[in-house]
Amino acid sequence: MFLKPDVAMALDAETRTQLIESVSRFVAERLVPIEDDVARNDRVPDEIVQEMRELGLFGLSIPQEYGGLGLSMEEEALVCFELGKTSPAFRSVIGTNVGIGSQGLVMFGRPEQKTHWLPKIASGEVIASFCLTEPGAGSDAASLRTTAIRKGNHYVVNGTKRYITNANKAGAFTLMARTDPSNKGAGGISAFFLPSNLKGITIGKPERKMGQQGAHICDVIFEDCEVPAECLIGAKEGEGFKLAMQVLDRGRLHISAVCTGVADRLVADSVKYASERQQFGQAIAEFQLIQGMLADSKTEAYAMRCMVLETARKRDAGANISLEASACKLFASEAVGRIADRNVQIHGGAGYVSDYAAERFYRDVRIFRLYEGTSQIQQVVIAKNLLRAAKA
Ligand code: COS
């Protein structure tokens, strides 16, 4: 079944077009020109972050009653298609507020938690990070060892979270920790939303990474940190793993939309370079072997767009999209890797030096196949869902 657009759009058509055009202009005029500086300085300038706030980018997915734009998933994907047309490090600034850092609260938070935090997350006053991964728990998220032991009206949290995006700027964390140490599986895990300035929380130094300079990941270390009991998300303990999985279902679709935007940018860069670069007395775009690469990249970018929009519409219509979100993430992250590789190939030697964006994007897109679940985890999720459906 293919779903029509506009199933559950939050904005009227004119406002939506205006938003997408403003993001597109912002990307082309403000972000693309400074991509190289951001990569070199490993920092997104404060004035750019402020402009992102003014554009409402931190609140794309936060309901309007809490000051966000409350976009539908389809609208969010359309915005991501535009944001993806520049260094993914820029998207990362708003990425955790829009996605994994906030969505546990949006989906399952108690009214008073939402009222307290969501307006600040929507405005970008508070950055929210997602603390799931640990040194010993990556793909096997259910084996996490950070504990949160209830003592009176607070939980005592101990453990280390690893590779936490935006942790060094975070004002709050969505934290998954084991509240029932006797239950070593998913059922022993609860989710919390807590301020980052509690005693007993230390943030590690940003890791040196392969790409996406300007976006930071750090350890978050909890040592006898007393977290007020009201920070628990939801009504009862033991729901934290399922919350994380549902947040990731959505996050995987968001990342797929970003991959699509990056793919469009790289196809445009490939076409531009191939049209300008002269060899054997003509533009290399005239050669069919180059045209083959351009066509393969465009076809994959188009397939990504179709998958993402179709899945977003399904989600907006209230369907469970676990399988489809993983299929999108698997295909889009792998495809953008191939597109970035062809872009380097079309650039020839120039694709290997950092004067051109091709080299930087080649490194930047590598993470898409790893975070929010590796390609192999997406395969596992797809197969599990298929087999479960076959049994039912
Ligand atoms: N939505 C709701 N519930 C879900 C779910 C989803 N998408 N996925 C799993 N669950 C539930 C299951 O239904 C099961 O509940 P019951 O015990 O009530 O049946 C529970 O969660 C455990 O599920 P499962 O047995 O499938 O868990 P596994 O430990 O086998 O883990 C994978 C499943 C591997 C898919 C999961 O650990 C995963 O996604 N790992 C990757 C983590 C990741 O993306 N890390 C990146 C860090 S964030 S940047």
Side-chain angles (χ1 to χ4, degrees):
M1 178 187 63
F2 287 91
L3 297 170
K4 287 203 188 90
D6 284 338
V7 172
M9 295 292 202
L11 306 178
D12 62 71
E14 197 188 325
T15 317
R16 182 164 58 251
T17 306
Q18 273 172 6
L19 172 69
I20 291 165
E21 281 174 5
S22 342
V23 175
S24 171
R25 246 195 332 272
F26 177 62
V27 166
E29 292 170 10
R30 301 289 293 139
L31 304 187
V32 171
I34 60 165
E35 282 175 357
D36 218 32
D37 289 345
V38 166
R40 215 165 326 107
N41 303 330
D42 193 17
R43 183 182 161 79
V44 176
D46 292 344
E47 65 267 23
I48 293 290
V49 177
Q50 184 53 31
E51 286 175 49
M52 289 175 167
R53 288 194 188 105
E54 285 158 16
L55 269 170
L57 294 179
F58 285 93
L60 294 177
S61 63
I62 309 296
Q64 290 178 2
E65 57 187 304
Y66 300 107
L69 293 177
L71 298 188
S72 68
M73 198 66 220
E74 181 175 358
E75 290 167 319
E76 186 177 319
L78 294 171
V79 172
C80 289
F81 292 164
E82 297 307 318
L83 270 181
K85 291 180 186 164
T86 184
S87 286
F90 291 115
R91 196 281 323 179
S92 201
V93 173
I94 60 140
T96 52
N97 277 34
V98 170
I100 54 180
S102 71
Q103 288 303 305
L105 202 53
V106 170
M107 292 180 201
F108 302 104
R110 282 175 287 106
E112 56 278 19
Q113 284 178 307
K114 292 188 184 191
T115 310
H116 180 73
W117 286 109
L118 291 180
K120 297 185 180 78
I121 295 173
S123 67
E125 180 190 335
V126 164
I127 299 291
S129 291
F130 182 73
C131 298
L132 175 65
T133 300
E134 297 182 357
S139 291
D140 185 6
S143 72
L144 65 81
R145 286 162 60 178
T146 295
T147 49
I149 305 303
R150 179 90 192 226
K151 294 242 164 80
N153 56 4
H154 60 257
Y155 290 85
V156 179
V157 177
N158 279 289
T160 298
K161 295 292 176 177
R162 181 136 295 171
Y163 305 148
I164 305 306
T165 302
N166 289 337
N168 51 344
K169 301 174 200 81
F173 296 119
T174 297
L175 167 73
M176 267 56 64
R178 195 168 296 284
T179 40
D180 178 4
S182 69
N183 181 340
K184 304 280 179 222
I189 298 170
S190 300
F192 298 86
F193 197 89
L194 57 127
S196 62
N197 61 359
L198 295 178
K199 204 163 151 264
I201 300 179
T202 319
I203 310 296
K205 276 212 289 239
E207 303 287 345
R208 295 177 59 207
K209 312 193 271 40
M210 178 188 282
Q212 297 207 17
Q213 274 66 33
H216 300 137
I217 57 172
C218 314
D219 277 3
V220 180
I221 302 138
F222 294 86
E223 285 166 302
D224 290 330
C225 174
E226 293 188 3
V227 174
E230 61 265 23
C231 293
L232 183 75
I233 304 179
K236 58 178 178 21
E237 295 179 1
E239 300 289 326
F241 185 78
K242 287 183 192 174
L243 173 146
M245 290 300 113
Q246 287 178 60
V247 166
L248 283 170
D249 283 346
R250 193 184 179 289
R252 288 165 183 166
L253 187 52
H254 172 100
I255 294 292
S256 307
V258 175
C259 289
T260 307
V262 176
D264 287 344
R265 157 70 183 268
L266 296 179
V267 171
D269 284 3
S270 292
V271 169
K272 183 166 186 291
Y273 188 82
S275 305
E276 288 169 1
R277 172 72 175 163
Q278 300 276 321
Q279 285 294 275
F280 303 102
Q282 57 184 344
I284 61 171
E286 300 299 323
F287 294 108
Q288 288 187 337
L289 290 177
I290 297 288
Q291 291 176 3
M293 287 193 274
L294 294 176
D296 285 351
S297 291
K298 176 64 193 173
T299 304
E300 289 185 322
Y302 182 53
M304 289 155 80
R305 177 175 290 260
C306 295
M307 289 174 87
V308 167
L309 287 176
E310 173 69 2
T311 305
R313 286 168 195 156
K314 271 192 183 166
R315 188 177 192 283
D316 288 338
N320 177 335
I321 47 113
S322 264
L323 183 155
E324 289 86 349
S326 283
C328 286
K329 168 80 162 51
L330 173 63
F331 183 78
S333 63
E334 294 281 338
V336 77
R338 293 189 291 271
I339 293 168
D341 186 65
R342 285 188 207 106
N343 187 43
V344 169
Q345 196 67 16
I346 289 166
H347 279 70
Y352 197 68
V353 296
S354 41
D355 296 355
Y356 291 83
E359 180 267 346
R360 173 163 35 80
F361 272 101
Y362 182 79
R363 290 183 285 106
D364 284 350
V365 300
R366 190 62 182 82
I367 187 66
F368 292 136
R369 290 153 64 186
L370 305 171
Y371 65 10
E372 299 200 25
T374 60
S375 290
Q376 290 67 35
I377 287 297
Q378 309 312 327
Q379 290 173 311
V380 166
V381 173
I382 295 164
K384 266 191 180 193
N385 277 281
L386 277 177
L387 298 173
R388 190 178 309 126
K391 266 193 207 143

